[in-house]
Amino acid sequence: MSLKTLFSLCFFISFGYSLTLQEAIDLTLKANHTIKEQEFLLQEAQYNYKTYQSPFYPSINATYSTDRTNRISSQRTRKTSGNLGANIQLNLFNGLSDYYNLASYKSLSKAQEHQLQATKEDIILLVKTAYINVLRQKQNVIVAEQSKALLEEQRRESAEFYRVGLIPKNDLLEVEVELNNSIQTLLSAKSNLAYSLKNLERYTRTKINLKDLVELRLHQPTLIESTLKNLMYQKRSELLFLDSVIQSKDYLVKSAKGNFLPNINVIGDYMRYGEDYKLTKRTNKYNNETMITLQINLNLFNGFNDKYTLESTKVNKLAFESQRITLLEDLDLQLFSALETYNLSLNAYKVALSALAQAEENYRISQNRYKERIQSTSDFLDAEYLLTQARTNVVLNRYAILQALAEIERITQTPQVTN
């Protein structure tokens, strides 16, 4: 690591820095240990795949043995003997079980790649949700501060009216109660903001300066369910994971069928004999031995083991096919729900903007009427409440749109907007 990079990292950790959503995602993907776990499992699957390549190579073994006895028989002229041997075996045919086992583990390795991608997509959605929550809570604090400021101004006016006897004391108390409630709301909003920010920092493992957090643009794309569904079927990692697993199970079924076919091996053996452990002395009766064997094995009966192994692999494959059907149904429902939430939030946001303009005009009129003592304190408080509620609804629906888009992007694993 360069000195400049190390200094920058220390500066970021100590003092914080502006952060975009994509930067937050990148930081999380690098630091998340759930992703690291899946990466290690992928490496394990890749090594297992290489392990099943070994049957396609010859197996070579070397043996050495020596012994010493206190008796000399007619076959041995010395008490010590030894031998050195080598064995080479190559499988020529075993019902293609090796081929299908290798193909099965290749599919499992591919399945683990999809599992890793699914984990990354889940983490990305969590980061997006945390980022959106920070922005939402930040706006909620602003709305609460605005409400508090309006009520403080109304309290000053009401206190002056009470001082000169234009309103009774209970009107002033009513305003003070609403002001205290707004203070409680503001404290709660600040607490929620602090928690949301801490949650985002937990994902990114970075100290974040709230003032420098980059706001998200509001996108309102037109989404078509059939198009989204096709994208989901093509790209969703969980579906691709199950497809690879089912393909792996299909290869295992074919591998199990190979147990009913003959197994053909060619074996080469070499043995050198000697009458001491160094193999340097030998009488003529001990000749080196070289032998090549063609071995054909065919199992005729093994207690129905092959039969039930084949049936087991078949039903195991059926189990994953059923799991895939269930997943498709769940994903269809998820997509429908997210799309409904998006369309609802989109329409609600348009209504909220209109309501906000009306609430602002209503508050302006009510304020003027209150100052002229044409409108009561309760009516003026109602106008302030409606304005605060309208501002809250705008914030609520604005970020609901962004959250729904994030969920749709996760479901389809396809970007729906341009950053």
Side-chain angles (χ1 to χ4, degrees):
M1 180 181 294
S2 66
L3 183 61
K4 181 179 179 181
T5 303
L6 181 61
F7 175 78
S8 300
L9 180 61
C10 294
F11 179 81
F12 291 158
I13 294 176
S14 301
F15 302 100
Y17 66 107
S18 61
L19 193 71
T20 65
L21 175 57
Q22 187 57 50
E23 289 171 343
I25 292 172
D26 292 340
L27 287 170
T28 303
L29 292 179
K30 292 178 181 178
N32 188 272
H33 283 278
T34 302
I35 294 176
K36 294 182 184 298
E37 174 190 351
Q38 293 300 321
E39 289 174 341
F40 290 136
L41 291 175
L42 174 58
Q43 292 181 23
E44 179 188 16
Q46 292 170 341
Y47 285 132
N48 286 335
Y49 169 66
K50 293 181 179 180
T51 299
Y52 275 82
Q53 293 176 348
S54 60
F56 296 92
Y57 298 94
S59 63
I60 304 174
N61 297 285
T63 60
Y64 169 81
S65 65
T66 182
D67 62 79
R68 182 177 179 83
T69 180
N70 60 356
R71 299 182 62 183
I72 300 177
S73 64
S74 59
Q75 289 80 22
R76 298 176 59 170
T77 60
R78 299 175 64 89
K79 292 183 178 181
T80 302
S81 68
N83 60 75
L84 175 67
N87 174 279
I88 300 177
Q89 180 172 330
L90 177 64
N91 176 260
L92 300 180
F93 180 76
N94 68 342
L96 299 179
S97 292
D98 293 338
Y99 171 79
Y100 289 124
N101 284 335
L102 180 63
S104 173
Y105 271 86
K106 184 177 182 179
S107 295
L108 287 179
S109 179
K110 192 67 177 178
Q112 187 57 43
E113 290 180 11
H114 294 309
Q115 183 67 32
L116 171 60
Q117 187 59 39
T119 301
K120 288 182 179 180
E121 294 295 335
D122 287 338
I123 298 300
I124 289 173
L125 178 59
L126 289 175
V127 176
K128 287 181 178 180
T129 300
Y131 194 96
I132 291 171
N133 280 337
V134 173
L135 297 179
R136 179 191 291 116
Q137 297 301 335
K138 181 180 178 181
Q139 293 300 317
N140 284 338
V141 169
I142 293 175
V143 171
E145 289 175 340
Q146 290 173 337
S147 175
K148 176 174 172 289
L150 292 177
L151 288 168
E152 285 176 339
E153 180 183 358
Q154 187 173 352
R155 181 185 179 279
R156 286 192 296 271
E157 293 177 349
S158 298
E160 181 63 23
F161 289 157
Y162 172 70
R163 188 182 65 81
V164 297
L166 294 177
I167 61 172
K169 186 175 182 180
N170 65 310
D171 280 7
L172 176 60
L173 293 176
E174 187 176 359
V175 175
E176 290 180 340
V177 168
E178 291 298 326
L179 175 59
N180 289 329
N181 288 338
S182 71
I183 294 174
Q184 291 293 327
T185 301
L186 177 59
L187 292 174
S188 178
K190 288 182 176 180
S191 177
N192 292 335
L193 174 58
Y195 175 82
S196 298
L197 185 61
K198 189 68 175 179
N199 189 43
L200 181 59
E201 291 176 344
R202 178 174 68 92
Y203 285 120
T204 61
R205 297 173 183 260
T206 305
K207 186 67 176 178
I208 299 173
N209 190 334
L210 181 62
K211 294 181 180 179
D212 296 330
L213 203 65
V214 179
E215 181 61 75
L216 295 176
R217 291 177 54 193
L218 180 62
H219 297 277
Q220 303 176 44
T222 301
L223 303 178
I224 302 173
E225 184 176 3
S226 59
T227 302
L228 296 175
K229 187 174 292 187
N230 289 333
L231 290 171
M232 179 181 69
Y233 291 159
Q234 295 171 10
K235 298 187 177 183
R236 182 75 183 210
S237 293
E238 287 84 347
L239 277 175
L240 298 177
F241 167 80
L242 285 178
D243 287 340
S244 296
V245 171
I246 291 171
Q247 186 179 47
S248 170
K249 301 302 179 182
D250 185 60
Y251 285 132
L252 288 180
V253 170
K254 294 178 180 179
S255 175
K257 290 179 180 179
N259 295 330
F260 296 93
L261 300 175
N263 189 346
I264 303 174
N265 298 281
V266 59
I267 304 170
D269 288 291
Y270 171 79
M271 186 67 69
R272 178 182 178 183
Y273 299 97
E275 289 190 352
D276 60 11
Y277 71 93
K278 294 182 179 180
L279 306 179
T280 57
K281 296 182 179 181
R282 182 180 62 191
T283 61
N284 291 332
K285 65 177 68 175
Y286 293 102
N287 295 321
N288 293 339
E289 180 181 10
T290 302
M291 181 171 57
I292 297 177
T293 305
L294 180 65
Q295 186 181 75
I296 302 176
N297 297 319
L298 178 62
N299 177 264
L300 300 178
F301 181 75
N302 64 349
F304 300 107
N305 179 70
D306 294 336
K307 170 181 170 58
Y308 292 127
T309 298
L310 176 59
E311 295 302 322
S312 173
T313 53
K314 285 181 178 179
V315 297
N316 186 252
K317 176 187 173 184
L318 292 175
F320 280 95
E321 288 176 346
S322 296
Q323 184 177 338
R324 187 181 189 278
I325 293 173
T326 301
L327 177 60
L328 281 173
E329 294 173 346
D330 291 342
L331 291 178
D332 286 343
L333 184 59
Q334 289 179 23
L335 179 60
F336 176 80
S337 176
L339 198 54
E340 284 293 305
T341 300
Y342 172 71
N343 290 327
L344 175 62
S345 302
L346 202 59
N347 293 326
Y349 181 67
K350 295 176 181 178
V351 173
L353 289 176
S354 176
L356 176 59
Q358 295 169 347
E360 288 174 343
E361 179 66 13
N362 178 59
Y363 182 81
R364 185 185 65 79
I365 295 173
S366 296
Q367 186 180 39
N368 291 334
R369 290 171 61 85
Y370 180 72
K371 289 179 179 180
E372 296 175 1
R373 300 308 307 137
I374 302 176
Q375 187 164 316
S376 66
T377 301
S378 297
D379 290 339
F380 189 25
L381 287 175
D382 289 342
E384 187 281 328
Y385 171 79
L386 292 175
L387 177 57
T388 299
Q389 189 63 40
R391 288 170 173 171
T392 301
N393 287 337
V394 169
V395 172
L396 175 68
N397 290 292
R398 183 183 194 279
Y399 292 101
I401 293 172
L402 295 173
Q403 181 63 37
L405 284 174
E407 293 176 1
I408 291 172
E409 289 180 344
R410 169 64 186 102
I411 293 170
T412 61
Q413 286 191 211
T414 306
Q416 300 301 322
V417 298
T418 303
N419 290 333

